[in-house]
């Protein structure tokens, strides 16, 4: 039987489709021309311009600070949640699991909108803290699911054995849980970190004036001017993410 | 075991409470707020009213809801249509190559998604690459507008959600027992028949996940239509954001948010129905999980 060519052809077309915009972006970031229409020669002009933009630096710094804070918060909360759902099979935990799962099926725009309502109704100013609270909320579900996946392979008997041998919870956490579940925590944390850095829609709705993150900044730059600077910014942003992803692949690769 | 119960409560409380405060309560608030009169300062005035819901009777809205539904539906169909052959191709590759190709597929999507939308805007721009290729091949007139229409939105929607369709489809295809396919062919089924009656039912969990994972986020799109769509191709998400930020009419945004929430129950309901039906006829399912190699 002659195998069909269709899957191969589709896959190649799809891969070209996936990489075309990115290749174009990289090429454009080195284009000396002010608009993308023609090629005026190779230049670092846009990177130099980027270097001088204080507002972009500030946004990048905000993004990083928000990502680190909400990663820590969501890993702590997510690890606790996964532990409870895994260990106690009570009705409370079934509701708990439902609460963890539900945010995953709600589109960003609705989540952002509902958080905006909450903050407005309570009367808090939209600022850094509201962004961190929002990011922690959507990262929490992902971290918990990653941790739950790890806990499925975890043998609870190890803990009982340690308890029988007289270990207290402090020792168990330090000597058993952290080493065995560490890679899961790291994977969940990296996921939370990238999700937070990447988020635009929710941040856009819950950020006040003056606390922009990089994606929100990019959005407002797109509406106004300087498209070529965005290309340069995108290439840097992209390189940082690629390096993080490749590193995390190294870290989380199963040990032989 | 009184003590154990107490420990469970204490450990559950932080994440449980967090999600109640920052997810459950705000979601209910969306519905509640849509029955409040708007206040000039951007909040809600005291009292209750049906005025906001009545104002949804605006003739522009049915068009926007309809556009949101068909663009998301078309995006889902295209993503599944392209995703199935790609998943099939990857699943039939050498094990060593599978991981590499999967990484190749995921990698572009670790780029911030605004940046990817922006890249498409540059590509489709009147002076852009795609336009000049199309014109030189005679597919487009020099004055054809590729941007700011429904077609551009659909293209970028597919670009954004296709990998999310490929991954679950691949996971299901990888588990599929390809000898069943050969058996069907030996018994005289045509290729198409074997594909339709053996392969597609075999990967239906993957199809269902891909459907949910593409259709629901597409329904809530905001950034894509805002960047590559024009004023005549808005989706519900754009109207929600516009009411919530520029117009500062929160009750109105809430009512639209409630409409979107209700729309989302449709695919979720379909999925729940299919899952339940699946569970009922497990006994007739011929597909067993093959042992891993």
């Amino acid at each position: 039987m002659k195998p069909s060519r269709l899957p191969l052809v589709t896959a190649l077309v799809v891969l070209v489709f996936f990489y075309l915009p990115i290749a174009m972006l990289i090429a454009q970031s080195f284009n000396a021309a002010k608009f993308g229409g023609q090629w005026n020669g190779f230049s670092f002009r846009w990177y130099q311009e980027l270097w001088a933009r204080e507002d972009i630096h500030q946004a990048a710094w905000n993004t990083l600070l928000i990502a680190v804070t909400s990663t820590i918060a969501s890993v702590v909360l997510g690890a606790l949640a996964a532990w409870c759902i895994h260990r106690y099979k009570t009705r409370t935990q079934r509701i708990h699991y439902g609460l963890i799962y539900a945010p995953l099926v709600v589109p960003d725009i609705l989540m952002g909108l509902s958080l905006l309502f909450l903050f407005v109704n309570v009367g808090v100013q939209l600022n850094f803290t509201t962004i961190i609270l929002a990011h922690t909320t959507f990262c929490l579900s992902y971290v918990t699911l990653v941790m739950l996946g790890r806990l499925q392979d975890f043998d609870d008997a190890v803990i009982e054995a340690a308890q029988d041998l007289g270990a207290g919870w402090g020792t168990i956490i330090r000597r058993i849980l952290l080493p065995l579940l560490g890679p899961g925590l790291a994977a969940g944390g990296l996921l939370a970190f990238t999700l937070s850095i990447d988020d635009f829609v929710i941040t856009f709705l819950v950020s006040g004036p003056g606390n922009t993150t990089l994606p929100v900044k990019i959005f407002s730059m797109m509406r106004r001017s300087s498209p070529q600077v965005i290309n340069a910014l995108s290439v840097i942003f992209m390189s940082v993410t690629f390096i993080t992803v490749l590193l995390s692949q190294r870290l989380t690769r199963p040990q032989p | 075991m009184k003590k154990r119960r107490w420990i469970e409560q204490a450990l559950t409380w932080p994440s449980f409470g967090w999600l109640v405060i920052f997810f459950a309560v705000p979601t209910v608030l969306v519905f509640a707020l849509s029955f409040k009169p708007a206040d000039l300062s951007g909040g809600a005035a005291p009292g209750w009213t049906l005025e906001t819901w009545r104002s949804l009777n605006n003739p522009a809205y049915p068009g926007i809801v309809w556009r949101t539904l068909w663009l998301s539906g078309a995006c889902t169909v295209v993503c599944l249509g392209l995703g199935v052959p790609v998943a099939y191709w990857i699943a039939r590759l050498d094990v060593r190559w599978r991981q590499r190709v999967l990484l190749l597929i995921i990698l572009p999507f670790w780029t911030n998604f605004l940046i990817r939308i922006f890249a498409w805007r540059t590509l489709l721009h009147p002076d852009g690459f795609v336009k000049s290729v199309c014109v030189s091949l005679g597919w487009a007139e020099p004055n054809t507008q590729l941007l700011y229409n429904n077609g551009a939105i659909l293209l970028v929607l597919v670009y954004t959600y296709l990998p999310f369709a490929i991954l679950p489809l691949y996971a299901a295809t990888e588990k599929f027992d390809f000898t069943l396919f050969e058996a069907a062919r030996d018994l005289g089924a045509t290729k198409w028949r074997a594909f339709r009656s053996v392969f597609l039912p075999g990967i239906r969990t993957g199809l269902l996940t891909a459907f949910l994972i593409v259709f629901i986020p597409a329904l809530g799109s905001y950034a894509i239509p805002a960047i590559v769509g024009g004023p005549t191709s808005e989706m519900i998400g754009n109207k929600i954001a516009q009411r919530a930020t520029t117009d500062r009419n929160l009750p109105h945004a809430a009512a639209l948010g409630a409409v979107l929430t209700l729309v989302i129950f449709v695919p979720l309901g379909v999925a729940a129905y299919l899952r339940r039906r699946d569970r009922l006829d497990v006994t007739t399912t011929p597909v067993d999980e093959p042992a891993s190699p």
Side-chain angles (χ1 to χ4, degrees):
Chain A
M1 175 175 110
K2 195 169 123 319
S4 169
R5 274 279 172 79
L6 190 69
L8 172 71
V9 174
T10 320
L12 292 180
V13 170
V14 163
L15 280 174
V16 171
F17 176 57
F18 280 179
Y19 280 88
L20 182 71
I22 290 172
M24 198 270 334
L25 207 66
I26 296 174
Q28 283 293 346
S29 76
F30 295 109
N31 183 358
K34 204 164 171 64
F35 298 101
Q38 75 263 41
W39 179 259
N40 278 9
F42 186 89
S43 143
F44 282 112
R45 171 179 174 190
W46 306 113
Y47 289 91
Q48 279 160 353
E49 201 161 300
L50 192 63
W51 186 248
R53 288 281 295 264
E54 284 294 329
D55 54 336
I56 294 177
H57 299 177
Q58 186 58 47
W61 181 240
N62 289 349
T63 312
L64 197 66
L65 219 60
I66 290 166
V68 169
T69 319
S70 42
T71 299
I72 295 170
S74 61
V75 167
V76 171
L77 291 170
L80 277 177
W83 178 254
C84 294
I85 292 170
H86 172 76
R87 193 164 168 90
Y88 308 104
K89 306 286 178 204
T90 54
R91 220 178 70 170
T92 318
Q93 298 307 333
R94 274 207 300 279
I95 303 171
H96 195 189
Y97 185 72
L99 270 175
I100 290 282
Y101 207 86
L104 298 174
V105 293
V106 172
D108 286 359
I109 188 106
L110 283 178
M111 196 156 178
L113 185 72
S114 59
L115 282 166
L116 172 68
F117 287 168
L118 178 75
F119 297 138
V120 169
N121 271 307
V122 177
V124 289
Q125 279 287 320
L126 297 176
N127 55 22
F128 234 76
T129 318
T130 53
I131 303 179
I132 291 171
L133 291 174
H135 282 210
T136 307
T137 309
F138 69 74
C139 291
L140 175 55
S141 301
Y142 290 93
V143 173
T144 309
L145 289 188
V146 170
M147 287 298 297
L148 271 175
R150 285 284 167 156
L151 281 168
Q152 271 173 3
D153 307 328
F154 180 76
D155 185 4
D156 286 329
V158 182
I159 293 179
E160 278 149 37
Q163 276 172 329
D164 289 345
L165 293 171
W169 273 103
T171 317
I172 291 175
I173 290 175
R174 210 172 57 243
R175 304 288 291 271
I176 299 176
L177 290 180
L178 282 182
L180 282 177
L181 300 175
L185 285 172
L190 272 166
L191 184 63
F193 187 76
T194 35
L195 284 170
S196 166
I197 283 196
D198 222 38
D199 181 71
F200 161 67
V201 176
I202 296 175
T203 317
F204 176 68
L205 285 169
V206 300
S207 63
N211 330 262
T212 18
T213 62
L214 219 38
V216 177
K217 184 84 203 164
I218 292 174
F219 187 72
S220 70
M221 278 165 73
M222 272 193 277
R223 294 208 149 166
R224 290 193 198 106
S225 55
S226 48
Q228 297 293 70
V229 180
I230 304 179
N231 289 329
L233 178 61
S234 309
V235 172
I236 292 176
F237 201 158
M238 209 154 64
S239 320
V240 172
T241 334
F242 281 3
I243 292 166
T244 317
V245 172
L246 293 178
L247 275 180
S248 73
Q249 290 252 332
R250 274 274 159 82
L251 279 177
T252 53
R253 185 180 295 166
Q255 303 297 322
Chain B
M1 291 297 264
K2 263 252 168 66
K3 188 170 170 237
R4 209 179 141 157
R5 238 189 113 63
W6 182 82
I7 294 173
E8 181 196 342
Q9 302 290 334
L11 290 176
T12 309
W13 186 80
S15 54
F16 200 98
W18 186 284
L19 286 167
V20 168
I21 296 171
F22 294 109
F23 178 75
V25 169
T27 305
V28 177
L29 257 180
V30 171
F31 284 90
L33 209 69
S34 69
F35 294 102
K36 286 274 187 189
D39 149 352
L40 289 177
S41 66
W48 301 93
T49 177
L50 281 171
E51 197 42 55
T52 318
W53 281 94
R54 246 178 254 134
S55 69
L56 285 191
N57 209 0
N58 185 325
Y61 286 135
I64 290 176
V65 171
W66 172 240
R67 185 179 308 115
T68 306
L69 284 174
W70 85 253
L71 278 173
S72 312
C75 166
T76 313
V77 170
V78 176
C79 285
L80 293 185
L82 290 172
V84 168
V86 173
Y88 179 91
W89 179 69
I90 303 174
R92 307 241 69 185
L93 283 173
D94 204 308
V95 185
R96 278 168 58 81
W97 274 96
R98 279 184 214 169
Q99 290 308 317
R100 289 179 200 164
V101 173
L102 278 178
L103 186 63
L104 210 57
I105 284 188
I106 303 165
L107 205 55
F109 295 87
W110 285 99
T111 317
N112 183 277
F113 94 121
L114 281 180
I115 292 178
R116 282 179 274 125
I117 306 170
F118 176 70
W120 273 107
R121 198 168 81 163
T122 317
L123 272 169
L124 297 174
H125 196 266
D127 306 321
F129 177 73
V130 175
K131 175 76 181 288
S132 43
V133 169
C134 285
V135 170
S136 62
L137 287 173
W139 292 348
E141 296 296 314
N143 55 2
T144 312
Q145 178 68 278
L146 295 178
L147 265 179
Y148 313 122
N149 55 37
N150 293 335
I153 296 178
L154 183 59
L155 177 81
V156 181
L157 278 175
V158 169
Y159 184 77
T160 308
Y161 294 115
L162 185 52
F164 297 104
I166 292 176
L167 293 179
L169 287 172
Y170 162 74
T173 309
E174 197 206 12
K175 287 191 189 135
F176 180 74
D177 182 359
F178 282 101
T179 54
L180 287 173
F181 202 75
E182 281 149 34
R185 296 280 289 151
D186 288 343
L187 292 171
T190 60
K191 242 185 219 173
W192 169 238
R193 181 76 208 266
F195 173 77
R196 215 186 42 195
S197 340
V198 179
F199 183 64
L200 284 187
I203 59 161
R204 65 178 178 278
T205 46
L207 285 168
L208 194 59
T209 312
F211 158 74
L212 285 181
I213 233 168
V214 173
F215 193 52
I216 293 182
L219 285 171
S221 308
Y222 162 65
I224 295 172
I227 297 166
V228 298
T232 54
S233 35
E234 281 183 313
M235 292 171 73
I236 301 181
N238 301 88
K239 271 280 168 259
I240 294 179
Q242 188 195 327
R243 295 284 180 252
T245 58
T246 357
D247 308 353
R248 267 295 179 193
N249 186 338
L250 292 190
H252 207 118
L256 286 169
V259 169
L260 181 55
T261 312
L262 296 176
V263 168
I264 284 161
F265 277 116
V266 177
L268 284 176
V270 171
Y273 168 76
L274 289 176
R275 283 223 180 93
R276 208 173 47 207
R277 205 190 54 181
D278 244 24
R279 220 164 281 152
L280 290 180
D281 57 35
V282 219
T283 44
T284 58
T285 311
V287 186
D288 285 317
E289 266 188 35
S292 46

